Amino acid sequence: MGGKLNDKIFLILFFIPAVFFLNTCARHKVLLEKPSPTPERKGVYHVLERHQTLYRICKTYEVDLKEVSSFNGISDPNRIQTGQRIFIPGAKKVLKVEIYIEDVVAEPEEKVKIVYKKFDFIWPIEGKVSDVFEEVEDRRHQGIDISSPLGTPIRASHNGMVIYSNNTIKGYGNLIILRHSEEYVTVYAHNQVNLVEEGTWVEKGQFIGKVGQTGRASGPHLHFEIRKNNKTLDPMLFLK
């Protein structure tokens, strides 16, 4: 009988402190605080359009290219995709980003199917040369202007790949750019209509457009350029 009583007393003495301890912990329970959410950074998303570059985007928004690249996880600024959403920190509204011929020509492209050692460019249209190539800074003209009636067919000056066929480059109106090799491209501007699409291959002499007066043009004519390594050259030295 004495042993059972001793067991009961032991259990009572064991459980009372345990219950007291648990109640005390409950009353002083420390709640783990959730980390405060990172404040949302102000800015806008710019959706990349075809032929836009990260350099031009950052220049337009007046932001640092390295900062934008880092924020968007872009390791190579030259390898961005059309339709990609790029966050521009600090920007208040989406801006229009201009496209430049130099940027289109400099885009990474698949190797052209044929590489020519010698280029014999043909005249894209028949007509009078109304403005010549000029490198003087105050009246710089990067190609030649050939006057011809509206709707005159424009021919490809040489075999090549269409790397641009649109009207999004300021001042040039409907414009076509053909790549003939890693070095050479030709430019056809102010067209009434473009007859070829980007990514298609055209043959020398093939109709690619029609003479027009689109963009900054005072009359119907074709603005024609030849570029080597993105540097404009006098087309008269090449045309046959």
Side-chain angles (χ1 to χ4, degrees):
M1 183 69 179
K4 293 183 179 180
L5 179 61
N6 289 335
D7 290 342
K8 290 181 179 180
I9 293 172
F10 173 79
L11 291 174
I12 292 170
L13 293 174
F14 176 83
F15 280 109
I16 289 175
V19 172
F20 176 79
F21 176 79
L22 291 173
N23 289 337
T24 303
C25 290
R27 287 198 302 270
H28 295 83
K29 186 176 181 181
V30 178
L31 296 176
L32 294 176
E33 294 184 1
K34 293 182 180 178
S36 57
T38 304
E40 185 176 353
R41 191 165 184 180
K42 293 183 178 179
V44 299
Y45 278 97
H46 182 95
V47 180
L48 186 75
E49 296 180 12
R50 184 159 172 76
H51 302 304
Q52 288 180 348
T53 67
L54 191 59
Y55 167 77
R56 298 290 181 191
I57 291 171
C58 292
K59 189 173 182 180
T60 301
Y61 285 94
E62 298 182 344
V63 292
D64 183 70
L65 187 147
K66 290 183 178 179
E67 180 185 1
V68 172
S69 297
S70 176
F71 196 92
N72 289 274
I74 298 172
S75 58
D76 184 354
N78 296 317
R79 296 288 179 180
I80 51 180
Q81 303 294 324
T82 301
Q84 183 173 342
R85 297 172 77 243
I86 300 174
F87 186 76
I88 311 297
K92 296 180 179 179
K93 64 178 181 179
V94 176
L95 302 178
K96 177 179 175 58
V97 176
E98 299 289 350
I99 298 170
Y100 293 80
I101 288 181
E102 292 79 8
D103 297 337
V104 175
V105 175
E107 287 176 352
E109 293 283 342
E110 295 181 3
K111 290 184 178 180
V112 177
K113 292 187 290 186
I114 303 174
V115 177
Y116 299 90
K117 293 182 179 179
K118 183 179 179 182
F119 282 87
D120 293 323
F121 292 99
I122 64 171
W123 285 81
I125 60 170
E126 294 183 1
K128 179 183 177 181
V129 176
S130 55
D131 202 352
V132 297
F133 178 82
E134 185 62 72
E135 291 186 294
V136 179
E137 191 62 35
D138 59 350
R139 66 174 311 274
R140 190 179 182 196
H141 191 240
Q142 296 182 299
I144 60 174
D145 291 347
I146 310 170
S147 296
S148 194
L150 282 172
T152 300
I154 301 168
R155 298 178 183 272
S157 192
H158 209 289
N159 303 345
M161 180 74 69
V162 182
I163 61 172
Y164 183 91
S165 180
N166 212 318
N167 60 359
T168 56
I169 297 180
K170 191 174 181 179
Y172 285 85
N174 293 324
L175 171 69
I176 295 170
I177 304 176
L178 302 183
R179 182 179 293 283
H180 308 288
S181 71
E182 292 183 358
E183 295 181 317
Y184 284 95
V185 303
T186 51
V187 175
Y188 311 75
H190 307 308
N191 309 330
Q192 184 182 63
V193 62
N194 296 343
L195 300 178
V196 290
E197 297 181 353
E198 292 182 20
T200 58
W201 179 265
V202 298
E203 299 294 333
K204 184 177 184 178
Q206 180 179 331
F207 291 146
I208 59 174
K210 295 182 180 181
V211 171
Q213 193 178 336
T214 57
R216 286 198 299 265
S218 56
H221 71 275
L222 173 68
H223 174 79
F224 178 71
E225 298 179 12
I226 294 179
R227 294 179 177 237
K228 181 180 181 182
N229 295 325
N230 223 344
K231 175 178 170 50
T232 54
L233 304 172
D234 186 354
M236 300 297 287
L237 301 176
F238 294 85
L239 292 173
K240 301 295 184 180

